Amino acid sequence: MTSSSGDPKELGVFLKARRAALDPHRAGLPETGTPRRVAGLRREEVARLAAISTDYYTRVEQGRMRASAPVLDAIARSLRLTEDQRAYLFELAGRPLSEPLAHPGRNVTEHTRRLLDQLTASPALVLSDTMDVLAWNSLAVALLVDFGQIPEADRNYVWLLFNDPALRALYDDWEAGAHACVAYLRMHTARRPDDPRLQGLLARMAPHADFERWWHAQDVAVQGTGSKVFHHPVAGTLVLDWDTLTSSTTPDHHIVVWSAPPDSPTAQGLHLLATATREAAQTSAVPSGLPEYSA
């Protein structure tokens, strides 16, 4: 199924989850004093708020009618959807807000790799839409894990966050970080629901109860910017701001960069990591006359 045709089944699941999660009072419905038999809003209440018939909304939720963009906007407003959730709704309904993406590639351009290497004071890596780790710099290895030593099949940030004890232990609030990654991943499903790498990852993550719970909660988000607290065994506590940079020529590749204000304790910790990384590289340098290996 392509992004232009949408995914009626997932659309119904998403709408049910969103109306079940919305408090009737917050939605602007009056108090009736009568106990409600179901959580959240009923179909007829969503329809009334969106100014459409209950039959029309029911058919949209059941995948029996393709809603127009104005109707989708009305439903989004009625359900108090965030911008990310609204974009996801349009994707599932087969009316994406942007042009469909080409099939994702895994090759990172040489100038992107050069950019990563020149970011000597900031950990940085390249993630795909499905959170595969495609490239990284030396400071990202020092901060997180040595991605080069991980088999490519396991080189996925979501997979590692749930399965690598060392990476998990770095997070001050692992649950919030992992939940956010699941929301980023779900956002991708509307754009390319048939992506084989995504489907393979979902199958592998099924045994994780937290992942399954957050996945079925239908939370979605776009990677943008934020802050994370890490407890690093060498650099101590690091409060890192992160930004996501997306190339216009390779929109399915996202460069994530962590940084800290100059002269802050975290900047000093990053400097300590960078110094230790350089010293380790010099110690293990290949003797003169022998070829160097570059991954």
Side-chain angles (χ1 to χ4, degrees), residues 12 31 65 93 141 180:
E31 295 286 352
M65 174 172 285
V141 170

Side-chain angles (χ1 to χ4, degrees), residues 105-107 113 128 130-136 146-157 159-160 197 201 204:
R106 296 183 58 78
N107 294 326
R113 293 184 183 276
S128 72
T130 49
M131 305 292 285
D132 287 328
V133 182
L134 305 180
W136 53 90
D146 189 347
F147 298 105
Q149 298 300 313
I150 297 171
E152 184 176 341
D154 295 340
R155 206 179 294 157
N156 177 281
Y157 205 85
W159 171 260
L160 292 171
R197 292 192 68 84
L201 176 63
R204 297 183 71 195

Side-chain angles (χ1 to χ4, degrees), residues 4 20 44 49 51 53 55 62-64 76 85 96 116 121 125 131 189 205 207 209 211 215 232 251 263 280 286 292:
S4 60
E44 56 267 28
L49 290 170
S53 70
D55 179 65
Q62 292 178 343
R64 295 187 288 119
Q85 290 170 340
L116 294 182
L125 47 81
M131 305 292 285
T189 65
M205 294 302 299
F211 179 89
W215 183 258
H232 196 275
D263 301 322
V286 178
E292 293 187 7

Side-chain angles (χ1 to χ4, degrees), residues 169-235:
L170 286 176
Y171 275 69
D172 179 72
D173 189 345
W174 175 87
E175 184 169 320
H179 192 176
C181 283
V182 174
Y184 304 148
L185 191 63
R186 176 164 273 289
M187 193 73 187
H188 169 67
T189 65
R191 293 191 289 268
R192 278 192 283 261
D194 57 348
D195 187 330
R197 292 192 68 84
L198 172 65
Q199 296 304 320
L201 176 63
L202 295 181
R204 297 183 71 195
M205 294 302 299
H208 293 275
D210 284 334
F211 179 89
E212 286 290 285
R213 174 165 53 88
W214 294 330
W215 183 258
H216 292 297
Q218 297 279 329
D219 293 329
V220 293
V222 174
Q223 290 167 276
T225 186
S227 182
K228 287 283 185 296
V229 178
F230 294 100
H231 298 294
H232 196 275
V234 173

